[in-house]
Amino acid sequence: MKSKNTKIPVKTYLSEKEMPTSWYNVRADMKEKHPPFIHPGELRPCTAEDLYPVFCKELVSQELNQTDKLIPIPDGILDFYKMFRPSPLIRAYSLEKYLDTPAEIYYKFEGNNTSGSHKLNSAVAQVFYAKQEGLTSLTTETGAGQWGTALSMACAYYDMDLTVFMVKVSSEQKPYRKAVMETYGAKVIPSPSSTTASGRSILASDPTTNGSLGCAISEAIELAVTRDKCRYVLGSVLDHVILHQSVIGLESKIALEKYGIVPDIIIGCAGGGSNFGGLISPFMGDKLNSKNSTRFIAIEPASCPSMTRGKYAYDFGDTGRTTPLIKMYTLGCGFMPAANHAGGLRYHGMSPIISKLYHDGHIEARSYIQTDVFEAAKSFLRTEGILPAPESAHAIKGAIDEALACKANGTKKTILFGLTGTGYFDLAAYASYDASTMTDYVPTDEDLIPGFASLIPFKE
Amino acid sequence: MKSKNTKIPVKTYLSEKEMPTSWYNVRADMKEKHPPFIHPGELRPCTAEDLYPVFCKELVSQELNQTDKLIPIPDGILDFYKMFRPSPLIRAYSLEKYLDTPAEIYYKFEGNNTSGSHKLNSAVAQVFYAKQEGLTSLTTETGAGQWGTALSMACAYYDMDLTVFMVKVSSEQKPYRKAVMETYGAKVIPSPSSTTASGRSILASDPTTNGSLGCAISEAIELAVTRDKCRYVLGSVLDHVILHQSVIGLESKIALEKYGIVPDIIIGCAGGGSNFGGLISPFMGDKLNSKNSTRFIAIEPASCPSMTRGKYAYDFGDTGRTTPLIKMYTLGCGFMPAANHAGGLRYHGMSPIISKLYHDGHIEARSYIQTDVFEAAKSFLRTEGILPAPESAHAIKGAIDEALACKANGTKKTILFGLTGTGYFDLAAYASYDASTMTDYVPTDEDLIPGFASLIPFKE
């Protein structure tokens, strides 16, 4: 849709009074909800009680709430949000000029905080509720390190103990990511470790293992359920995380409405789905109520194509098979994603909300190879100045392709994409791209067989 | 001064219409100007012609302009400024609460751009003028890497070739800083190099040298003067750099005036003086015209105390003794600053504008040891969320001390400090502080003797 006003500023910041005071729960506007979690031992829908030993109560309540449209954001969380939000909505004038496109391109930039990404939006909320409930410590896992950093910042602010199980190879390759978390007071344990039974068991069978996200999750959950006043927290996939991330979409929508803009296309990268889900939520709500005709495009790496080549099935959330069963697009919990610099997108499954919306045809999905993504990132960083995270660059590539389609067709569309974070800790990947040593990997159909074979035969 | 309004937002962003359209030239309001550059060979004041072979014409004109109060910012620079400015003026509610102080603390945060610091304000301007003048390439030196990164970003945007001589030990210790510059298309040469005569001469006498800023400057200037359509650019010290950085102070002043606030105290870290000079410029102008009674405090590291323990004398700007003579507070161009993590503050001299204002009693100066600075940084990052650069943390320590003095005296002052940048590339220093392996160094009077002995006996 064409904007009313042609003098749109490069950056739009909401005032504190304009900032959203409730999160938006897109499930309330979905006619068909996604199927429930299934208890892995008893093969029945999970109840709140099943989840309490792992997650704090308010988060369980938000996880299971499929009916309330608006969930008020507590004042304590709003106070923290004001320290790093609003994030700017940016008009990409310089990129538009470089592409010579008639399209208007906007992006919501979530990287201007020390965690470097949107992850802080949910970290703050999760730590706030844990503190309110009288918990004294939290555990989590981290791979690329953005989630661990965000959680460390929130725990430092609320004075909460935090133990982060960091995939061993990542903690060795990214010592400074580890150092940030420790600077904020977190205890960072390379995983697998001798701290937990599951860690010891893996070390016993393979003392030189590099570790994996699946193993780190198992260790973090084990520590949480065995410790007093301690819970586990997760940075993506789950419904309550997407709820918190709806602040991205809400701020974007309020800012765009100032200029009378309803985006024609909204694009985001999708790993677990929290950023994409949060960005599209309020716009999707309008679409489900026939108030707009926006297209939504999720971008994933060709190396880990859970939506474009996965199955919509019940599967475990972790490789250790300890979580409830989740109905989602998945490559199978036994799928081992290839080494890919966009670590945040290397997850075998996809948020159940996004999966359901995709399954019902409300969302499109597309995958890109890594070198194409870095080529787009380079065009972006030279014109717009911001060094994007490789994850975020998937969305940039999507936006550039749509803008070039506009140029080819002579149509003027309004494109909004989510720029989730910065690439300060990903320079080895950029250096590899610049040196032309970066390789692409696209699994063959045969490569996908072991993952699909790991799916359990549960039928609804 | 007490603010009119008690509901001041955490972050204040100016709208595009409120952003300054001219830089402010504080020299115009100084009754006594600082003494001129002296030609090192002929011992007479430098003319514009003396400077043209090294710097582009518009920058020479700005350097020598001591009379025009306002210098309009060209539209092309304003367009780039809009991509990363305005920077936020932040009310440190959380730090105030932690300190339990009656003081109101504000900081102007310049770190929310990919260069990670205020350096981009001048980099953009210098590259713009070079492009306008028909130059095709630039050279510079970088130590810690913030200036080199900022200049790389600006050169990528304006499509200008850039060669950065990076102190060899820094390029080895900070490979990712080098990678950022290369990602933006700059050619980064570890210095000393075999590219220049001065580099080859140093390598011949000491093949295993670590390099130094002084040597990198010599190489960058040599390449600039021997190449067609090429000039050298510098990121601090000079008057035209402080002019460009006045945008920091101007934005701060406009934002504070919305709330009727005139700061009682303004604090900044000072290495070459560009950030401090830019922050205080418009407030200093008012003070010189008796419109306020603000105190200005420059903070420097105890390991490199050019203002607090240096001499006000004519000295070379570089250790290679190739620049004009500059009247400034200096430890002597032969002073070798000790290894100190705040690389951006390791300079033997100080901006001539700041030196003159300090000499005339308009500015106070103070020095801190490194571990005290990191202690302040830790309090800040846990309460305000932002991971500060070690340089910037000197100003934080100054602000905390003044706020605690308010608490002790029961007085309510308004404090503004400059938070120049982020510490993402300084995590080795934070890790060293956390591990209690960080050491402090304060030169004895005897340690300062060789530096003072290097001062030439020039008399005005």
Side-chain angles (χ1 to χ4, degrees), chain A residues 9-11 13 16 82-85 94 112-114 153 156-157 176 179-180 182-185 378 381-387 424-425 427-428 430 434, chain B residues 9-11 13 16 82-85 94 112-114 153 156-157 176 179-180 182-185 378 381-387 424-425 427-428 430 434:
Chain A
V10 178
K11 293 162 97 176
Y13 287 101
E16 281 188 4
K82 285 175 189 167
M83 296 206 306
F84 71 99
R85 307 200 64 80
S94 182
N112 271 350
N113 67 70
T114 291
M153 291 174 63
Y157 183 80
Y176 293 145
V180 184
E182 289 173 340
T183 291
Y184 276 92
K378 293 278 292 191
L381 68 89
R382 291 182 74 113
T383 52
E384 293 291 314
I386 297 170
L387 181 77
Y424 303 131
F425 293 91
L427 285 158
Y430 277 101
D434 286 340
Chain B
V10 178
K11 293 162 98 175
Y13 286 101
E16 281 188 3
K82 285 175 190 167
M83 297 206 305
F84 72 99
R85 307 200 66 80
S94 182
N112 270 351
N113 67 70
T114 291
M153 290 171 64
Y157 183 81
Y176 293 146
V180 184
E182 289 172 339
T183 291
Y184 276 93
K378 294 279 290 191
L381 68 89
R382 291 182 73 112
T383 52
E384 292 290 315
I386 297 169
L387 181 78
Y424 304 130
F425 292 90
L427 285 158
Y430 277 100
D434 286 340

Side-chain angles (χ1 to χ4, degrees), chain B residues 83-217:
Chain B
M83 297 206 305
F84 72 99
R85 307 200 66 80
S87 70
L89 178 82
I90 305 179
R91 172 77 183 268
Y93 282 114
S94 182
L95 180 64
E96 289 171 17
K97 192 175 163 194
Y98 169 77
L99 298 173
D100 189 24
T101 174
E104 282 186 12
I105 308 175
Y106 297 82
Y107 55 100
K108 182 72 168 167
F109 179 41
E110 293 289 316
N112 270 351
N113 67 70
T114 291
S115 81
S117 82
H118 67 291
K119 294 283 183 184
L120 195 52
N121 297 325
S122 186
V124 173
Q126 296 196 42
V127 180
F128 174 85
Y129 289 122
K131 185 83 182 177
Q132 199 179 43
E133 220 169 287
L135 303 178
T136 55
S137 68
L138 294 172
T139 71
T140 198
E141 79 291 332
T142 202
Q146 291 180 327
W147 170 245
T149 307
L151 204 62
S152 302
M153 290 171 64
C155 284
Y157 183 81
Y158 291 114
D159 198 18
M160 170 83 71
D161 276 349
L162 173 65
T163 303
V164 179
F165 288 90
M166 184 171 192
V167 177
K168 192 160 94 184
V169 64
S170 297
S171 74
E172 286 163 0
Q173 286 173 347
K174 298 188 171 188
Y176 293 146
R177 266 292 187 201
K178 184 164 172 280
V180 184
M181 292 183 259
E182 289 172 339
T183 291
Y184 276 93
K187 184 173 181 186
V188 182
I189 302 178
S191 167
S193 74
S194 56
T195 314
T196 64
S198 53
R200 286 189 294 271
S201 146
I202 291 166
L203 282 174
S205 66
D206 182 1
T208 62
T209 178
N210 282 328
S212 72
L213 212 47
C215 170
I217 293 176

